[in-house]
Amino acid sequence: MNEFQLIKRFFQQPSLAFSNAYLRQGIGDDCATFNIPSEYDLHLSLDTLVEGVHFPFQANPFDIATRALAVSISDLAAMAAIPVGFTLAITLPSKDETWLKKFSDGLIQAAQFYQCPLIGGDTTKGPSLVISLQVHGITNAGEGLKRSGAQVGDKVYVSGNLGDGAGALPLVLDRPELNTGLARQFYAPLAQIDFGQKIKTYASSCMDISDGLVQDLNHICAASGVGMKIDPALIPMSEELIQTYGKGQALQYALTGGDDYQLAYTANQCQQGIYIGDVVQGQAVKMLGMDMTNTGFQHF
Ligand code: ADP
Ligand code: MG
């Protein structure tokens, strides 16, 4: 099996490389081509996952794939965009067909779920497994949600439970193949595309929570030139997280852990999600009754 046979067999499958209204050319030519009508904006986001950094060695390739696509599509959700296709650059240490079959099966499941086809990519050999995905999504022109735009007086909301992603991490580091219960949150987080669609008309700012609530809300504060007062007692957490770690550690995960992929947004009216605090004058997030020093994940 040479490089082109590999691409054809594992990536150019009809269930993965399917078409849609915007795709003129998918896998097979020098470029993929979108035809985006002028009333839409096209949004792009690129994410790289490195074995041993973003997922454990020995993780199930199916789970690596579902996670890779979900976390990338989460960035589209944060803009309130709808996915239209993704490209995949993959560096593989070997041509392990069993591994590739499981990996492409995982991609198929996620691509079908989010209706986001594989439209092109690059396949290379290298010393360790590295996966880069670029996702593409559309909104009506000018209507993508941004980190800027939060106004003093707005309220702050999140789309769902926080802390599960960080709580799952020690479990999968201990047992990389584990993918049930809390560990499921690590390998198959749900990108909040539907939620983004619900809030897009009234949210003043939005982002996805990938590096920890406090750090990510600070990005909204910086981009919008505001501060926030957040009440830790209002942070939603799953029963499973609290039972596994106790309330204190669970809250720590919810505030500073990463990998949740819920949305945080601001708005001056409440229709969706869970209220956790207010936008105020200032320049950073303050947690009521807490001193935040370690605020979230950073690579460097
Ligand atoms: P080129 O040499 O023109 O860059 P390649 O030979 O690398 O093209 O790839 C051939 C075709 O297969 C292209 O359409 C490319 O987008 C696609 N492709 C290569 N690798 C992947 C991959 N991992 N996933 C999806 N499509 C891929
Ligand atoms: Mg070419």
Side-chain angles (χ1 to χ4, degrees):
M1 188 176 58
N2 67 27
E3 179 191 329
F4 302 110
Q5 290 164 333
L6 185 157
I7 292 166
K8 201 162 177 24
R9 179 153 155 213
F10 294 106
F11 298 130
Q12 206 175 2
Q13 307 184 59
S15 52
L16 180 56
F18 49 93
S19 196
N20 61 34
Y22 308 101
L23 191 64
R24 211 188 269 289
Q25 165 73 50
I27 294 176
D29 215 309
D30 293 307
C31 289
T33 306
F34 280 122
N35 173 26
I36 308 289
S38 61
E39 64 267 29
Y40 296 115
D41 283 346
L42 180 67
H43 304 265
L44 317 178
S45 172
L46 176 67
D47 274 305
T48 295
L49 287 84
V50 180
E51 185 173 40
V53 177
H54 296 94
F55 53 88
F57 294 98
Q58 272 95 52
N60 184 328
F62 187 98
D63 295 326
I64 296 171
T66 55
R67 172 171 169 74
L69 194 52
V71 305
S72 302
I73 287 181
S74 175
D75 285 319
L76 295 179
M79 308 295 287
I82 293 171
V84 291
F86 74 103
T87 51
L88 166 71
I90 185 163
T91 301
L92 293 159
S94 71
K95 236 173 14 191
D96 180 339
E97 294 188 17
T98 316
W99 192 97
L100 278 161
K101 169 82 171 78
K102 288 186 189 161
F103 181 78
S104 61
D105 282 350
L107 281 185
I108 290 168
Q109 190 194 69
Q112 291 286 339
F113 181 80
Y114 294 108
Q115 279 303 293
C116 184
L118 179 58
I119 61 171
D122 198 24
T123 306
T124 50
K125 188 174 175 188
S128 60
L129 176 63
V130 181
I131 300 159
S132 293
L133 281 84
Q134 177 154 308
V135 290
H136 308 74
I138 54 168
T139 61
N140 287 334
E143 291 184 6
L145 296 179
K146 301 175 70 175
R147 297 175 182 191
S148 53
Q151 304 279 335
V152 173
D154 283 351
K155 292 178 160 55
V156 184
Y157 303 91
V158 292
S159 58
N161 288 335
L162 301 180
D164 283 353
L169 188 60
L171 307 181
V172 301
L173 288 180
D174 188 41
R175 289 177 55 195
E177 77 293 350
L178 192 71
N179 71 358
T180 53
L182 204 49
R184 190 90 218 111
Q185 298 297 325
F186 183 81
Y187 286 122
L190 180 63
Q192 298 292 317
I193 292 292
D194 292 346
F195 192 88
Q197 294 307 299
K198 288 181 190 154
I199 64 168
K200 68 180 175 186
T201 54
Y202 63 89
S204 54
S205 72
C206 183
M207 73 179 293
D208 68 326
I209 306 170
S210 53
D211 295 332
L213 177 71
V214 175
Q215 179 171 306
D216 286 335
L217 288 181
N218 271 324
H219 291 310
I220 292 185
C221 289
S224 300
V226 297
M228 289 179 185
K229 266 192 192 144
I230 303 297
D231 184 351
L234 297 177
I235 305 294
M237 294 184 286
S238 72
E239 271 309 309
E240 196 167 12
L241 184 72
I242 294 170
Q243 271 168 18
T244 308
Y245 291 104
K247 231 177 168 174
Q249 177 65 59
L251 185 61
Q252 189 68 26
Y253 280 144
L255 295 179
T256 61
D259 294 323
D260 279 321
Y261 303 103
Q262 297 288 347
L263 298 184
Y265 76 98
T266 57
N268 62 13
Q269 51 174 298
C270 173
Q271 291 176 19
Q272 304 285 337
I274 299 114
Y275 166 72
I276 61 166
D278 298 285
V279 180
V280 297
Q281 283 185 346
Q283 40 197 321
V285 172
K286 290 209 170 83
M287 303 298 303
L288 292 178
M290 292 174 90
D291 177 26
M292 299 302 299
T293 37
N294 168 26
T295 56
F297 182 78
Q298 294 187 15
H299 275 278
F300 296 102

